[in-house]
């Protein structure tokens, strides 16, 4: 069984490669996120059955690597990390990790978990994992849709040239939805990406922020609720016109320093 080990600590990796090899695994060791994504590009060899992914990588965060793997491949991912806090666990699993193991761990348990996720992912997808940053989603440049311009570098939003002050969470929420207009984002995913926490018990918070975005941007139909699933940003249609938009909301209470819900 082929296994991809993503670990920047040479000492830890060498020990793991030795043990995994004795248990019949063919291990490729990637020392960075970029090297891991490159290794997952189909090359005619047997696909990997499992990825062991450390989160503390030298070039990018392991959470980001997991997202990019999941965007292009169904290969099971086990996050193996020293980050034991519950928020990191929830965030990793919401991003698509199949399991989450904290260091230090028992080697026997890790082997059992590897076999378990390999059984569940017996038919790994062979889709290419994008490696070239130019081909990856969510570039850092401005997002523009329906007259809205989102400058992620400067964290500024404007509608038809009018600056709209947003709170930090409102901005992050809008930027997330605007990455892929028309795509439904699950509530769990939104909370994981924006609040870095679980969804349970926080439904009202999300509703409040969606409502605030609609009001401040003066676009009540901008974000659509998909019942029981989540929210999506409605793509701009050819028939859309500025006349469809409502007058802007009063500026009072819209300071970036306004209290978060």
């Amino acid at each position: 069984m082929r296994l991809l080990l993503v670990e920047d600590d040479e000492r830890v990796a060498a020990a793991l490669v030795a043990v995994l090899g004795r248990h019949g695994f063919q291990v490729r060791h990637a020392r960075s996120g970029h090297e891991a994504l490159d290794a997952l590009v189909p090359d005619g060899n047997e696909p990997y059955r499992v990825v062991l992914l450390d989160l503390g990588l030298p070039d990018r965060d392991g959470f980001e690597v997991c997202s990019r793997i999941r965007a292009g491949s169904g290969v099971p991912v086990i996050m193996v990390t020293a980050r034991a806090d519950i928020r990191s666990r929830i965030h990793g699993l919401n991003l698509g990790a199949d399991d989450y193991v904290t260091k230090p761990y028992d080697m026997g348990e890790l082997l059992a978990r590897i076999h378990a996720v390999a059984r569940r992912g017996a038919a790994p997808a062979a889709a290419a994992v994008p490696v070239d940053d130019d081909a990856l989603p969510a570039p850092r440049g401005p997002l523009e849709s329906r007259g809205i311009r989102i400058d992620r570098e400067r964290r500024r939003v404007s509608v038809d040239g009018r600056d709209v002050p947003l709170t930090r969470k409102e901005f992050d929420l809008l930027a997330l939805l605007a990455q892929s207009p028309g795509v439904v984002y699950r509530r769990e995913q939104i909370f994981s990406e924006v609040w870095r926490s679980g969804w349970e018990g926080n439904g009202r918070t999300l509703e409040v922020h969606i409502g605030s975005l609609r009001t401040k941007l003066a676009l009540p139909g901008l974000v659509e609720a998909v019942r029981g699933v989540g929210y999506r940003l409605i793509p701009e249609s050819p028939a859309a016109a500025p006349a469809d938009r409502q007058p802007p909301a009063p500026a009072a209470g819209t300071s970036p320093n306004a209290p978060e819900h």
Side-chain angles (χ1 to χ4, degrees), residues 6 10 26 45 52 94 141 148 165 168 170 173 177 223 235 242 250:
V6 188
E10 293 289 349
Q26 301 173 35
N45 293 316
L52 292 184
N94 281 337
I148 306 170
R168 180 168 57 86
E170 288 166 355
L173 175 58
L177 297 176
V223 180

Side-chain angles (χ1 to χ4, degrees), residues 208-225:
V208 168
H209 281 73
I210 292 290
S212 181
L213 276 180
R214 290 168 173 155
T215 300
K216 289 183 178 181
L217 298 173
L219 292 167
L222 175 67
V223 180
E224 179 186 62

Side-chain angles (χ1 to χ4, degrees), residues 16-30:
L16 267 174
V17 169
V19 173
L20 292 169
R22 289 200 297 272
H23 285 80
F25 292 95
Q26 301 173 35
V27 183
R28 174 171 175 176
H29 176 204

Side-chain angles (χ1 to χ4, degrees), residues 179-200:
Q179 286 182 18
S180 301
V183 172
V184 178
Y185 285 79
R186 292 178 291 107
R187 294 169 300 185
E188 296 87 346
Q189 181 181 5
I190 293 172
F191 257 85
S192 179
E193 296 279 348
V194 177
W195 277 269
R196 299 297 176 100
S197 68
W199 147 256
E200 295 78 8

Side-chain angles (χ1 to χ4, degrees), residues 63 78 97 101 140 148 223:
F63 288 129
I78 301 177
V101 177
R140 297 306 302 170
I148 306 170
V223 180

